[in-house]
Amino acid sequence: VNMPVVFSLSLSSAVLPVISRQCETDKLKVNKTINKALLLVFFMSIFFALAIFVFAPTIISILFGRSLNSNDFDLSCKLLRLASISVCYLSVAQITTGILNGMGKHKLPVISLLVGGVIKLVTNVLLVQNVNFNKLIFNVHINMVKANTKFNE
């Protein structure tokens, strides 16, 4: 699930100096660059999330071969499909961190990370009292949404 986020990270690294330079000279170009980067990352992450969701059985087969029995295989496919949704959140969080760093707002991603960590701790305690993978995946999605909404403030 984290492999598609690498593309977002590389785009974030490429956009950072461009936005930093444009903040000094042309504010209108900054908005255009941010919009293009967010749009590219969003559509790319949706494509990767759908690909992981659709090809979950193939991915599990490649990774584990025949070492899983049918129950474990089905559970692994289900968990990978649930986790594929987080590709979108992770990618957007990655690019917004780069954008904020390029704009000189270095503290906001750190604050967001700390708030997300506290929320994750609380939701882990509340949702995962019994080891239930569905609750665990749901917890990841809650944390990603909270972290991304903090970036947009």
Side-chain angles (χ1 to χ4, degrees):
V1 172
N2 290 332
M3 190 60 185
V5 179
V6 171
F7 292 105
S8 176
L9 178 62
S10 60
L11 182 64
S12 174
S13 298
V15 166
L16 190 137
V18 173
I19 290 176
S20 180
R21 185 176 56 247
Q22 288 176 347
C23 276
E24 297 171 358
T25 58
D26 191 2
K27 301 286 184 187
L28 186 61
K29 280 188 176 181
V30 171
N31 287 336
K32 286 183 179 181
T33 304
I34 290 171
N35 288 337
K36 285 180 186 178
L38 284 172
L39 194 64
L40 178 64
V41 165
F42 185 70
F43 284 119
M44 184 179 65
S45 66
I46 288 175
F47 170 76
F48 282 124
L50 287 174
I52 291 171
F53 187 87
V54 170
F55 296 113
T58 307
I59 294 168
I60 297 297
S61 295
I62 290 170
L63 291 175
F64 296 105
R66 297 180 185 209
S67 65
L68 297 175
N69 62 34
S70 65
N71 290 336
D72 291 341
F73 182 81
D74 291 340
L75 177 63
S76 299
C77 290
K78 181 180 176 183
L79 292 174
L80 185 59
R81 284 183 171 142
L82 287 171
S84 69
I85 300 167
S86 66
V87 169
C88 299
Y89 303 132
L90 291 169
S91 297
V92 170
Q94 200 63 259
I95 192 72
T96 52
T97 299
I99 289 169
L100 289 170
N101 282 330
M103 294 174 72
K105 298 179 180 180
H106 305 289
K107 292 181 182 178
L108 190 57
V110 175
I111 292 169
S112 180
L113 179 68
L114 292 174
V115 169
V118 170
I119 292 170
K120 183 175 178 72
L121 181 66
V122 170
T123 54
N124 274 342
V125 169
L126 294 176
L127 292 176
V128 191
Q129 305 223 343
N130 301 329
V131 179
N132 185 334
F133 291 113
N134 292 332
K135 288 181 182 177
L136 186 62
I137 297 296
F138 182 69
N139 185 22
V140 169
H141 294 306
I142 288 173
N143 293 316
M144 291 298 166
V145 168
K146 291 292 183 185
N148 284 333
T149 54
K150 183 66 179 169
F151 279 128
N152 293 326
E153 291 180 353

